[in-house]
């Protein structure tokens, strides 16, 4: 059984931990390391690796603190690693890259008790990815954030952590009342899952093995958590949690 711990989710910062009882993975480093330390009781002994999907700061802003404060390697695509190193705010230029492990789409990597397979996502960054994550107990988790489209289906998924960033009717309502710019609307629609995409993904990937769903990266102003939860529970038939 996979246990999910949420450090933060949304534009203010993203970070999660998954635990199969043997080893752990940290997903994203966009939440202050001191907060994460407190939430895990200053215990990183079972963290086998840290996964980063892309270089936007709400997903990697505190990566240097995670490098300094843990012994875990960082796994990301080569494009993401290079982009993070080019970001002066992240202060990675002073570090050797030996703790960074470049991963390729559709190749599987053994990290602790996990088998991690990156796959393509669609976002306005260098080389973004999602992760299909299996453990030795037979659990399978799919992690998707910051993507307007995913072309794959995944059999025998037990856990989903999937973006539900906005609802189209909320954005349209704000645009019509001049509270939302056309430019920002275009950018969000070209870079994030909306509720309709999330529902479609769940419908295509649900099966008898599915146990639970975490909805992540909800927009503070363009989503409705209760509405989203009810909609996904209705189509999935499993417990749904809002990160």
């Amino acid at each position: 059984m996979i246990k999910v711990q949420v450090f933060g989710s949304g534009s203010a910062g993203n970070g999660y931990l998954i635990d199969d009882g043997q080893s752990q993975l940290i997903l994203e480093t966009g939440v202050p390391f001191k907060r994460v330390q407190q939430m895990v009781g200053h215990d990183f002994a079972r963290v086998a690796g840290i996964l980063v999907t892309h270089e936007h700061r709400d997903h990697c802003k505190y990566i240097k603190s995670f490098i300094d404060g843990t012994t875990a390697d960082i796994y990301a695509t080569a494009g993401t690693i290079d982009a993070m190193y080019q970001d002066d705010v992240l202060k990675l230029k002073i570090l050797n890259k030996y703790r960074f492990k470049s991963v390729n789409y559709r190749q599987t990597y053994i990290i602790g008790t996990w088998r991690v397979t990156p796959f393509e996502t669609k976002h306005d960054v260098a080389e973004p990815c999602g992760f299909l994550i299996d453990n030795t107990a037979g659990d399978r988790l799919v992690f998707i954030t910051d993507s307007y489209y995913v072309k794959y289906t995944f059999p025998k998924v037990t856990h989903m952590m999937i973006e539900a960033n906005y609802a189209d009717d909320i954005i349209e309502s704000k645009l019509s009342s001049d509270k939302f710019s056309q430019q920002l609307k275009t950018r969000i629609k070209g870079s994030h899952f909306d509720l309709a995409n999330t529902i479609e993904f769940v419908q295509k990937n649900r099966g008898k093995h599915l146990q639970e769903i975490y909805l992540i990266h909800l927009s503070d102003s363009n989503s409705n958590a209760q509405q989203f939860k009810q909609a996904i529970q209705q189509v999935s038939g499993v417990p749904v949690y809002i990160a």
Side-chain angles (χ1 to χ4, degrees):
M1 178 68 180
I2 295 176
K3 294 183 179 179
V4 176
Q5 184 174 7
V6 178
F7 303 135
S9 187
S11 58
N14 297 272
Y16 316 88
L17 181 143
I18 60 174
D19 187 341
D20 67 358
Q22 299 182 71
S23 66
Q24 301 169 332
L25 294 175
I26 290 175
L27 311 176
E28 313 287 49
T29 58
V31 174
F33 183 68
K34 288 184 178 180
R35 186 197 307 174
V36 174
Q37 280 182 306
Q38 294 172 351
M39 294 181 72
V40 301
H42 296 264
D43 182 9
F44 295 95
R46 292 193 295 118
V47 175
I50 299 171
L51 312 182
V52 177
T53 60
H54 66 287
E55 67 267 23
H56 279 162
R57 291 176 191 164
D58 57 325
H59 295 262
C60 69
K61 181 177 180 179
Y62 300 95
I63 190 167
K64 186 177 182 300
S65 298
F66 280 82
I67 293 171
D68 294 339
T70 75
T71 60
D73 290 333
I74 312 295
Y75 295 83
T77 63
T80 295
I81 293 171
D82 289 343
M84 288 191 296
Y85 261 83
Q86 293 168 16
D87 186 336
D88 291 335
V89 171
L90 301 183
K91 299 180 180 179
L92 295 180
K93 290 184 175 69
I94 63 175
L95 299 179
N96 189 296
K97 285 189 179 182
Y98 79 96
R99 290 276 297 280
F100 288 83
K101 307 297 182 184
S102 176
V103 298
N104 298 316
Y105 293 145
R106 301 182 303 282
Q107 292 189 15
T108 299
Y109 302 84
I110 306 300
I111 309 173
T113 52
W114 309 89
R115 298 187 306 278
V116 177
T117 308
F119 56 87
E120 299 98 322
T121 54
K122 299 294 185 181
H123 197 49
D124 53 350
V125 290
E127 193 181 6
C129 72
F131 295 104
L132 182 65
I133 304 172
D134 297 276
N135 66 12
T136 55
D139 298 309
R140 167 168 281 191
L141 182 149
V142 62
F143 181 81
I144 298 171
T145 185
D146 289 49
S147 182
Y148 65 86
Y149 175 70
V150 174
K151 65 181 179 180
Y152 299 106
T153 56
F154 303 93
K156 300 182 179 180
V157 170
T158 59
H159 298 71
M160 293 183 185
M161 296 177 68
I162 181 171
E163 178 179 51
N165 184 258
Y166 69 95
D168 194 65
D169 59 336
I170 296 177
I171 283 187
E172 293 297 339
S173 173
K174 289 188 174 185
L175 182 63
S176 64
S177 59
D178 296 325
K179 294 181 180 178
F180 204 79
S181 73
Q182 179 68 38
Q183 183 178 6
L184 184 56
K185 171 190 168 184
T186 301
R187 191 261 163 184
I188 290 175
K189 286 192 171 187
S191 60
H192 290 278
F193 253 29
D194 73 342
L195 178 61
N197 285 335
T198 307
I199 289 173
E200 181 180 6
F201 181 88
V202 171
Q203 289 174 326
K204 288 182 177 180
N205 290 275
R206 68 185 177 186
K208 64 179 182 180
H209 301 279
L210 186 61
Q211 299 174 19
E212 60 184 14
I213 297 173
Y214 284 79
L215 298 181
I216 62 177
H217 211 296
L218 273 69
S219 167
D220 289 338
S221 57
N222 302 311
S223 67
N224 181 313
Q226 190 59 35
Q227 173 195 346
F228 285 18
K229 179 177 180 177
Q230 290 176 351
I232 299 301
Q233 282 185 164
Q234 185 174 3
V235 299
S236 68
V238 302
V240 175
Y241 305 96
I242 302 295

